[in-house]
Amino acid sequence: IRFKDAVGRKFSFPFHLCKSWGGMSDLIRQAFIHISALRPHVFNGYYDLVGPDGSIILPQTWETVIQP
């Protein structure tokens, strides 16, 4: 899964690690562990994930929307 964060960094996450919402949120937390200004927001889940078409992907729909 290609992931671009709020600071403009780009990541490639293996699909098997982020196919569940829990796996994806763990990876996002790891990505922000050293960004002190945003870390508290990320760790509290105050972010949106946006798909390639610009729409927000809700946690409840994550596993049915994403694909490798």
Side-chain angles (χ1 to χ4, degrees), residues 1 5 9 19-20 24 35-37 46 48 55 67-68:
I1 297 294
D5 70 12
R9 300 175 303 160
K19 64 183 177 181
S20 72
M24 186 61 181
I35 310 292
S36 59
Y46 302 144
D48 291 322
S55 63
Q67 53 185 289

Side-chain angles (χ1 to χ4, degrees), residues 5-7 9 28-35 38-39 42:
D5 70 12
V7 231
R9 300 175 303 160
I28 293 170
R29 283 190 207 104
Q30 289 176 33
F32 280 88
I33 202 150
H34 299 294
I35 310 292
L38 296 175
R39 184 178 53 236
V42 170

Side-chain angles (χ1 to χ4, degrees), residues 46-67:
Y46 302 144
Y47 57 85
D48 291 322
L49 290 181
V50 180
D53 65 352
S55 63
I56 295 173
I57 303 171
L58 298 173
Q60 297 85 347
T61 63
W62 178 255
E63 292 180 26
T64 60
V65 172
I66 63 157
Q67 53 185 289

